[in-house]
């Protein structure tokens, strides 16, 4: 699936390294779960990208949040994951994440099974998602009028 062209516009205020890291994380998820939709928010304090087999955030299994100096790779129901090999951050009821500063240190082999576990949780919560999504889309969900973005 090709990224929605507006994603590049949303990422323009960020340094090239952050943009490249975002696209690498995106490619990583899309390669593992090619039937997932990409839901994009150009929010107040971050660009957020969720991956879901439906077009609804409630069914998302993982996400990327882009900030000025790092990205977060998160799991929407991360508190329900069983991960002994990787310590995820977060104190909330559901979401857990990993701060990502560069591609080389991103723990791909430890994240891969967590993505599939998170996908399974999403499909268990909504059995309709167990059917393959034959036409995944990259879509913009909302754009905030006011934004905090890094200054180049």
């Amino acid at each position: 699936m090709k990224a929605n062209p507006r994603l590049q516009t949303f990422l323009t205020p960020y340094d090239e390294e952050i943009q490249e890291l975002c696209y690498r994380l995106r490619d990583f998820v899309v390669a593992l779960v090619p039937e997932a939709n990409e839901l994009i928010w150009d929010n107040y304090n971050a660009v957020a990208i969720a991956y879901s087999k439906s077009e609804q955030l409630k069914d998302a299994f993982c996400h990327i949040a882009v900030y000025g100096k790092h990205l977060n790779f998160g799991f929407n129901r991360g508190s329900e994951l069983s991960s002994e090999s990787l310590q995820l951050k977060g104190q909330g009821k559901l979401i857990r994440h990993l701060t990502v500063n560069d591609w080389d240190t991103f723990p791909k082999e430890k994240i891969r099974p967590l993505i599939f576990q998170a996908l399974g949780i999403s499909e268990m919560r909504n059995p309709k998602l167990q059917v393959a999504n034959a036409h995944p889309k990259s879509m913009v969900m909302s754009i905030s009028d006011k934004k905090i973005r890094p200054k180049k």
Side-chain angles (χ1 to χ4, degrees):
M1 161 188 46
K2 290 178 101 174
N4 186 300
R6 293 172 79 188
L7 178 59
Q8 181 58 51
T9 302
F10 301 154
L11 294 175
T12 298
Y14 297 91
D15 288 339
E16 286 183 32
E17 295 81 17
I18 293 292
Q19 292 180 44
E20 181 182 334
L21 182 55
C22 178
Y23 280 111
R24 283 190 156 199
L25 292 173
R26 177 198 182 274
D27 291 347
F28 180 74
V29 174
V30 171
L32 289 176
V33 189
E35 66 272 20
N37 289 313
E38 183 172 61
L39 314 177
I40 304 167
W41 285 265
D42 188 18
N43 286 334
Y44 173 71
N45 66 337
V47 173
I49 309 165
Y51 295 90
S52 171
K53 285 178 70 179
S54 77
E55 294 182 16
Q56 297 185 2
L57 179 59
K58 71 177 186 172
D59 294 323
F61 54 91
C62 73
H63 63 269
I64 300 166
V66 184
Y67 297 99
K69 304 231 182 273
H70 72 278
L71 285 80
N72 283 351
F73 188 90
F75 295 95
N76 293 44
R77 300 191 75 85
S79 63
E80 298 174 12
L81 297 174
S82 58
S83 172
E84 294 155 12
S85 63
L86 189 61
Q87 184 69 25
L88 299 173
K89 298 176 185 175
Q91 302 297 319
K93 185 176 178 182
L94 292 174
I95 295 175
R96 297 291 181 270
H97 72 276
L98 182 68
T99 300
V100 184
N101 294 303
D102 66 77
W103 179 248
D104 292 336
T105 60
F106 181 65
K108 301 163 212 53
E109 296 307 315
K110 292 179 180 179
I111 290 286
R112 189 174 281 117
L114 291 179
I115 289 174
F116 289 119
Q117 191 181 135
L119 178 60
I121 290 169
S122 178
E123 290 175 341
M124 187 172 43
R125 293 180 48 76
N126 182 353
K128 292 178 185 176
L129 301 178
Q130 293 175 6
V131 176
N133 177 8
H135 304 286
K137 301 177 230 169
S138 176
M139 60 194 99
V140 174
M141 304 305 284
S142 75
I143 302 171
S144 295
D145 289 333
K146 290 183 124 187
K147 298 178 188 69
I148 296 173
R149 293 296 180 261
K151 293 181 173 104
K152 288 187 172 183

